[in-house]
Amino acid sequence: MRHVVIIGSKGQLGTDLHPALSAFRVTGLTHGELDVCDLERARAVLGELRPDVVINTSAYHKVDVCEDEPAASFAVNATGAYNLARLAAGLEFTLLHFSSDYVFDGRGRVPYREDDLANPISVYGTSKLAGENLVRAFCPRHFVIRSTGLYGVAGASGKGGNFVETMVRLGKAGPVRVVDDQVMTPTATADLARAVAALLAAEGRPGVPYGLYHITSTGQCSWFAFAKSIFELCAMDVDLSPITTAQSGAKARRPAFSVLGHGKWIEAGFAELRPWRDALADYLRAKGHARA
Ligand SMILES: NC(=O)c1ccc[n+]([C@@H]2O[C@H](COP(=O)([O-])OP(=O)(O)OC[C@H]3O[C@@H](n4cnc5c(N)ncnc54)[C@H](OP(=O)(O)O)[C@@H]3O)[C@@H](O)[C@H]2O)c1
């Protein structure tokens, strides 16, 4: 049985990866057990475990905070990725690394292809692009996966929750205003985790190249439309209104359109993930926010 190590195993994606990888022997490592910024400790831990695959879910990803803390952003998102890439090459494991739709500037109006030019407009996006490039440059056997709008039952530990839970909480408290001019694809970490398991199961198969993949649910919506669906599916009567990004006053710039096309995923023979609203309905039922 191949041995997979998950870095950031208590995060929202890490939490959902563990059960999805039932065909593998899995070791989960928390931030306390392995800090990607600490190269020597990472070398010792991974040298001991001798995994076939390392999945790096770690990130410094409070997007507005990153604007004020570029050093911390680059330490985790870029140097951390570089450390793992160098260890992967030496210890001969496959590195599966996550990146973000925020590597794009958002001026596109059709889903971004994997080979479209990345042009980040925030410190976070720039640090994630640097991490991608370092993995691609220094690790021969890698998968870099870009995804968007993640939410999972554990909640993003690095962000203090997730958008769905924030909406449910705010919706119970009073009127809610959400940006309507940023379009993406909400993606359940449970679905992304199953896709990762399928990709790793197919590793080495002809037609399944290493490299960069976009993996998200299907469809697209604004954050306002996402919030509207949450309240509809929860049967919550909320005073919800759309605002512009300018009105939101957020510190970091964010892409106005960051829907990712899945060309390489389809070409490699994998099925599209389900529509984002179906995944959302399942999540809300699992969390007890919506009835079956
Ligand atoms: N959330 C989104 O909307 C979104 C969208 C697109 C792409 N992504 C990418 O998807 C990946 C997973 O995101 P997520 O939502 O699952 O995040 P998350 O819940 O914050 O999980 C990240 C995990 O990494 C750990 N971690 C943080 N710094 C670390 C370090 N220096 N060394 C080792 N572990 C560290 C965190 O532990 P502590 O909490 O204990 O620090 C946490 O367990 C990230 O690469 C992110 O950039 C996320």
Side-chain angles (χ1 to χ4, degrees):
M1 213 177 220
R2 288 160 75 220
H3 183 196
V4 178
V5 163
I6 303 170
I7 293 176
S9 59
K10 293 274 191 268
Q12 62 180 351
L13 180 55
T15 298
D16 282 334
L17 277 167
H18 210 136
L21 293 165
S22 55
F24 301 85
R25 180 159 75 89
V26 179
T27 303
L29 297 174
T30 63
H31 190 170
E33 290 165 329
L34 188 152
D35 183 339
V36 296
C37 303
D38 184 345
L39 176 61
E40 288 320 311
R41 173 97 182 112
R43 191 195 307 281
V45 172
L46 296 174
E48 180 78 21
L49 289 171
R50 285 276 162 190
D52 300 294
V53 180
V54 170
I55 302 180
N56 178 28
T57 74
S58 73
Y60 195 86
H61 61 143
K62 280 186 178 148
V63 178
D64 293 316
V65 173
C66 288
E67 296 295 307
D68 291 326
E69 298 183 3
S73 313
F74 275 79
V76 180
N77 300 335
T79 307
Y82 172 71
N83 288 341
L84 294 175
R86 295 304 292 259
L87 292 175
L91 295 170
E92 296 186 340
F93 57 78
T94 300
L95 178 60
L96 190 148
H97 175 76
F98 288 96
S99 188
S100 166
D101 52 329
Y102 280 19
V103 300
F104 292 114
D105 62 19
R107 288 192 211 144
R109 281 297 169 265
V110 292
Y112 283 101
R113 293 158 46 110
E114 288 82 355
D115 56 5
D116 279 339
L117 185 68
N119 183 32
I121 54 175
S122 64
V123 169
Y124 170 69
T126 307
S127 67
K128 290 299 281 186
L129 181 60
E132 282 186 10
N133 286 335
L134 288 160
V135 169
R136 293 165 77 174
F138 291 97
C139 175
R141 275 197 343 249
H142 70 262
F143 295 110
V144 171
I145 296 177
R146 292 184 185 141
S147 196
T148 65
L150 295 185
Y151 62 93
V153 285
S157 48
K159 291 184 172 181
N162 68 41
F163 182 82
V164 183
E165 297 304 318
T166 302
M167 286 302 113
V168 170
R169 181 168 40 80
L170 293 179
K172 286 177 182 162
V176 180
R177 288 150 45 99
V178 181
V179 290
D180 196 24
D181 55 1
Q182 291 171 31
V183 173
M184 46 83 226
T185 306
T187 300
T189 48
D191 287 12
L192 179 58
R194 282 190 284 270
V196 165
L199 180 61
L200 288 180
E203 184 183 354
R205 199 197 287 161
V208 182
Y210 290 107
L212 176 64
Y213 289 83
H214 288 171
I215 309 180
T216 71
S217 291
T218 48
Q220 63 184 59
C221 63
S222 70
W223 290 97
F224 169 77
F226 185 21
K228 193 159 176 283
S229 288
I230 293 165
F231 296 139
E232 281 168 8
L233 289 164
C234 293
M236 287 172 70
D237 186 13
V238 176
D239 177 3
L240 172 70
S241 47
I243 56 168
T244 63
T245 296
Q247 286 171 319
S248 79
K251 181 151 198 166
R253 292 172 68 207
R254 289 164 166 80
F257 179 90
S258 61
V259 179
L260 303 180
H262 311 130
K264 197 158 164 208
W265 180 248
I266 303 297
E267 245 171 63
F270 297 104
E272 286 271 33
L273 273 57
R274 60 188 165 156
W276 65 265
R277 207 177 137 106
D278 294 355
L280 175 63
D282 268 0
Y283 170 90
L284 291 169
R285 277 191 292 267
K287 290 290 279 190
H289 295 313
R291 293 213 195 94

